[in-house]
Amino acid sequence: MIRIVFVLVIVFLLCNCTSYSPELTEALVLSGENRKELLHVLEHYEHDEDTLKYKAACFLIENMRWHKSYKKIEYVDPKISKLYEKFDYLYTKILGGFDEIEALDGNQLLRERLYNYTQVLHDLMKITPLDTNVVVSHGVFEDVNEINASFLISHIDNAFKVWRESKYAKHLNFDAFCEYILPYRSFWGTTYYYSGAWLNKQFGKQIWRGNTPDFLGHLKRCNHYANRMLFFSYPFKLKERIGIYDLFLGTKNDCALLADNFCNIFRSCGFPVTVDYTIAYKAYNSRHFYCNFLDSTGMWWRFNPGSNMLSKTSPVGHTSLNLYRNMFAAQKDSPYFLKAKTEKIPGELASPCIKDVTAEQCEIVELILPFTSETKNNLAYLCTFSGDFKSGVIAVTWGTIDKKNKQVVFKSALHNTLYVPMYMKNGHLCPFGQPFYVLKDSLGKSGYRLCHLCDEANVEDTGDLLLTRKFPLKSHLMEEIKHMVGGHFEGANHEDFSDAKVLFTITETPKPYWQEYVLNNCREYLYYRYVAPESYPLANIAELEFLVRGDTTHPYTSSATPLPVFKEEDISSLQNDHWVQVMEKDISSMRNKVYFDKNIMTTSWRRLNPICLAKPFLVERIRMIPRNADNGIRPGDRYLLLYWDNEWKEFGVQKAKYNFLKFENVPQNKIYWLQNIDRGSEDLPFIYEDGRQKFIYDSVIVDNNVQIR
């Protein structure tokens, strides 16, 4: 508190003896020992004939206080930059004479040349491993204390140069320039190291190569360059992420890193680009960052870095929740500024520079909810399920509390979305209402109606739950399985299958779990295989077993996978299973094939190679499971059942014996959540009605635009 008062006093005194704005003065005070660097920038541009440069410097310095990094790059081994320079020279030389954009993917000679050089580089890097040194400090590093004058001046000069020269930036007014070209970082919390001037020097010659007619062409050039440079450097990888070099030497380029680097690169070359993101999806525990390009008509074009696709719609589709844009300037309508003085904000919404842009992509609804809780807070939140968080919920949008009318107004709610209304209490999210979703209602006064999922009238009831899945079946996998109709299994004694005989043809869509086919076979064969339909020549088989009788004399066998049991009365059927899986002589080699590796998550998309037995043998049955997300109940795995009662409460853990779980005396009329605590990450809440599970975004909240994928 004393520090805050001291800062305010200093700001007041400085404002009265300088021409600086209060925001700029406060930034200078907060900069501490780095103040002289920032003052040098202001003095450098104060009398510049281009008065906008001074305004731009003020814009950056005023808003630096809102930005920070969680890593600081102290040192990068010069060998890394020299390696990059060699690769860059090689790439530029190889592309000599191939300046047309169509040549990047369509020219056979160019592809061969790139491939040959890449193989030579890989061989050289394997025999001459690099010993590079990167020093990175971890902590919280405020931009206002870190950025020096030379960095900022070179960056500002480059930004103005490309603003004036680039045909993609000339139409921008000063305010748009400040947000979409000028910033040295693309979003809050990332690590910066190189100025726009350096980035332009390194990437500009590649992005602007040849006669490229539109932004999509420049995107293709950038992607081609980054991808080939990455292939050149393989198998060398950096142990620490250090910014732009991660594109070429990184350990793993996730969407945030790619979006950050691509945005900074394009801005440095005169393309107005931003980074948007979603912090949650309706059905998945994930987030996603992507880029946007602003054209001269004011239209935003979205793209995933690494992809050569531009679209007016968001890459995250209709399954995402609220979308946010990373701005450089502080956004006064963000939770950071709307909160009360001592109010805590959920971390995912804590940035002072986020702007809700959901309305650009989705139909939103202004939602008014009653609020009777006693609090000094100004904000409440709509939260949704997230298995990534210990609490099991994540705040996805905010609303302002109207204490006079005892209500909360949410301006950016979405239809067909599971919400829990919550506010922060003692540093944690606390509910002030029951879970619900919003349905359109054209006849209602507000245009919507709320559908609650918990029946409070019967909170004392208990009952049994018979559970067979932790996540619903995926629509695209079910469509893939349909294409297996017409596929068949063959036996042969010649390796080329010239004497093949069809033993079974799939005539009905396979089930999304283990199943058995009885073959029309009375002969012994040395080779067996599956052949996909000609109309859709992909196998789509996750696991495959060729079965013989349990009393076989064949020397190479393995236990057959039991057929699934989904209810208690079918348990006895397991006692009649007297079949074993026949194997190749080299069992370990056979296990290396994805359809024999005992891993349902690995799938053969291509035609399956045949199984070759040690000697001809009579195979009478086949067990198979098609391409699968493995979200059913797995015998041997442990499962945790939770239910929602103002928070996620644990009911109990069971180890599955079969393909179902039976939990007894469970509180009824709740939302449930089943976790596999041994493997997997996909799970989704459900309700239990009519003796079966009904997953939230599959059988409860039905939105034709949302498919479980």
Side-chain angles (χ1 to χ4, degrees), residues 259 375 655:
T375 182
K655 185 175 182 178

Side-chain angles (χ1 to χ4, degrees), residues 363-369 407 410 413 415 436-451:
E363 182 180 357
I364 60 174
V365 57
E366 183 174 284
L367 191 63
I368 300 176
L369 298 180
Q407 63 185 24
F410 297 96
H415 297 99
F436 68 90
Y437 60 98
V438 185
L439 278 184
K440 290 183 182 180
D441 185 358
S442 58
L443 300 178
K445 183 178 179 180
S446 59
Y448 64 82
R449 60 187 174 91
L450 303 186
C451 300

Side-chain angles (χ1 to χ4, degrees), residues 16 28 39 226 245 268 274 287 316 323-324 334 378 397 452 463 483 550 633 645:
N16 282 279
L28 292 171
L39 285 173
Y245 285 130
S268 75
T274 66
R287 61 174 191 166
V316 298
L323 301 171
Y324 294 99
S334 67
N378 292 338
T397 188
H452 289 87
H483 293 296
I633 304 302
D645 186 9

Side-chain angles (χ1 to χ4, degrees), residues 32 188 206 212 240 264 308 399-400 402 426 436 438 480 532 545 575 637:
W188 192 64
Q206 304 298 346
T212 306
E240 279 277 7
N264 292 333
N308 292 330
T400 52
D402 180 351
N426 299 325
F436 68 90
V438 185
E480 293 287 343
E545 297 179 357
Q575 300 173 359
D637 285 3

Side-chain angles (χ1 to χ4, degrees), residues 168 215 271-273 291-295 299-303:
Y168 299 100
F215 177 73
F271 298 87
V273 174
C291 292
N292 308 270
F293 164 69
L294 182 65
D295 70 17
M299 178 69 69
W300 286 103
W301 294 89
R302 280 86 185 176
F303 64 95

Side-chain angles (χ1 to χ4, degrees), residues 419-665:
Y419 285 130
V420 181
M422 309 183 85
Y423 70 105
M424 293 294 284
K425 183 178 180 180
N426 299 325
H428 301 283
L429 287 166
C430 176
F432 64 89
Q434 291 298 313
F436 68 90
Y437 60 98
V438 185
L439 278 184
K440 290 183 182 180
D441 185 358
S442 58
L443 300 178
K445 183 178 179 180
S446 59
Y448 64 82
R449 60 187 174 91
L450 303 186
C451 300
H452 289 87
L453 293 178
C454 297
D455 185 358
E456 295 182 277
N458 300 310
V459 292
E460 301 301 324
D461 289 353
T462 62
D464 298 344
L465 271 59
L466 184 70
L467 310 179
T468 58
R469 300 190 65 81
K470 64 185 181 71
F471 194 85
L473 293 170
K474 297 186 176 184
S475 56
H476 76 290
L477 293 182
M478 297 305 294
E479 287 299 317
E480 293 287 343
I481 293 175
K482 291 179 182 179
H483 293 296
M484 295 182 69
V485 174
H488 63 269
F489 298 92
E490 295 179 343
N493 284 310
H494 293 161
E495 187 176 4
D496 62 0
F497 277 77
S498 58
D499 63 336
K501 180 182 179 181
V502 175
L503 306 177
F504 183 86
T505 300
I506 299 175
T507 58
E508 296 181 355
T509 301
K511 303 294 189 296
Y513 46 78
W514 279 100
Q515 58 228 272
E516 185 174 276
Y517 298 131
V518 178
L519 303 184
N520 178 25
N521 188 24
C522 58
R523 287 186 59 189
E524 296 179 340
Y525 292 102
L526 183 62
Y527 301 96
Y528 292 90
R529 73 177 181 182
Y530 171 74
V531 179
E534 290 187 6
S535 59
Y536 197 80
L538 299 177
N540 280 316
I541 290 181
E543 288 291 300
L544 179 63
E545 297 179 357
F546 296 91
L547 305 186
V548 299
R549 295 184 183 274
D551 58 358
T552 179
T553 59
H554 194 284
Y556 307 106
T557 61
S558 180
S559 299
T561 300
L563 291 172
V565 174
F566 297 116
K567 51 186 183 296
E568 289 175 305
E569 50 265 39
D570 292 340
I571 293 175
S572 60
S573 65
L574 292 178
Q575 300 173 359
N576 301 319
D577 192 359
H578 303 299
W579 299 88
V580 295
Q581 179 185 4
V582 66
M583 306 291 289
E584 293 182 338
K585 183 177 182 179
D586 188 347
I587 295 179
S588 61
S589 175
M590 184 177 176
R591 290 295 187 203
N592 289 330
K593 300 174 182 177
V594 294
Y595 35 95
F596 299 123
D597 63 359
K598 296 287 187 179
N599 184 356
I600 296 176
M601 296 298 290
T602 59
T603 301
S604 174
W605 286 27
R606 300 178 176 86
R607 291 173 182 260
L608 298 187
N609 294 328
I611 179 175
C612 177
L613 304 181
K615 62 179 182 177
F617 218 83
L618 177 66
V619 171
E620 298 183 57
R621 299 191 180 195
I622 283 173
R623 284 186 189 169
M624 176 272 294
I625 182 169
R627 186 181 170 198
N628 200 283
D630 197 19
N631 285 319
I633 304 302
R634 290 180 58 119
D637 285 3
R638 296 170 299 157
Y639 292 83
L640 169 66
L641 178 66
L642 305 97
Y643 64 93
W644 181 263
D645 186 9
N646 289 327
E647 63 179 346
W648 286 112
K649 293 184 177 180
E650 295 186 6
F651 178 77
V653 174
Q654 278 192 29
K655 185 175 182 178
K657 293 182 179 180
Y658 308 105
N659 302 92
F660 69 91
L661 299 164
K662 186 177 181 180
F663 288 90
E664 298 177 336
N665 300 317

Side-chain angles (χ1 to χ4, degrees), residues 93-311:
K93 182 178 180 180
I94 293 173
L95 256 70
F98 296 100
D99 284 341
E100 294 300 321
I101 193 69
E102 293 80 8
L104 295 180
D105 296 316
N107 189 282
Q108 181 65 25
L109 178 59
L110 176 59
R111 287 202 301 269
E112 291 178 359
R113 206 184 271 185
L114 285 165
Y115 176 80
N116 291 333
Y117 274 91
T118 301
Q119 296 307 307
V120 172
L121 286 172
H122 289 180
D123 293 339
L124 288 174
M125 296 188 75
K126 287 177 182 177
I127 62 176
T128 56
L130 291 171
D131 180 21
T132 59
N133 184 21
V134 176
V135 180
V136 176
S137 298
H138 297 266
V140 178
F141 304 96
E142 307 283 347
D143 287 13
V144 75
N145 302 128
E146 299 293 333
I147 296 182
N148 61 43
S150 61
F151 176 97
L152 211 52
I153 290 171
S154 67
H155 183 85
I156 292 172
D157 286 346
N158 178 77
F160 273 82
K161 181 176 184 295
V162 298
W163 182 25
R164 308 295 191 208
E165 295 178 356
S166 170
K167 64 180 181 180
Y168 299 100
K170 289 180 179 179
H171 66 280
L172 298 176
N173 61 32
F174 181 70
D175 289 340
F177 161 76
C178 285
E179 281 293 358
Y180 308 140
I181 295 289
L182 179 63
Y184 54 83
R185 64 156 68 246
S186 65
F187 58 88
W188 192 64
T190 57
T191 301
Y192 62 89
Y193 192 74
Y194 299 102
S195 72
W198 187 91
L199 292 174
N200 187 315
K201 179 182 178 182
Q202 302 302 319
F203 290 87
K205 63 180 180 291
Q206 304 298 346
I207 290 177
W208 289 102
R209 175 189 288 273
N211 182 23
T212 306
D214 52 24
F215 177 73
L216 178 58
H218 297 292
L219 175 61
K220 289 181 178 179
R221 289 199 182 282
C222 189
N223 281 327
H224 191 269
Y225 177 63
N227 289 335
R228 295 319 309 180
M229 293 284 281
L230 179 64
F231 290 146
F232 283 168
S233 68
Y234 180 84
F236 176 74
K237 300 293 180 185
L238 292 175
K239 295 180 181 179
E240 279 277 7
R241 290 185 171 180
I242 58 172
I244 196 67
Y245 285 130
D246 295 335
L247 286 178
F248 316 113
L249 306 171
T251 55
K252 184 179 180 181
N253 291 330
D254 62 21
C255 61
L257 183 147
L258 287 171
D260 175 37
N261 282 321
F262 269 67
C263 181
N264 292 333
I265 289 169
F266 276 114
R267 283 177 175 175
S268 75
C269 296
F271 298 87
V273 174
T274 66
V275 173
D276 284 8
Y277 68 101
T278 180
I279 54 177
Y281 288 83
K282 290 184 178 182
Y284 297 99
N285 302 323
S286 187
R287 61 174 191 166
H288 187 61
F289 292 77
Y290 59 94
C291 292
N292 308 270
F293 164 69
L294 182 65
D295 70 17
S296 59
T297 69
M299 178 69 69
W300 286 103
W301 294 89
R302 280 86 185 176
F303 64 95
N304 282 321
S307 167
N308 292 330
M309 293 182 61
L310 281 178
S311 174

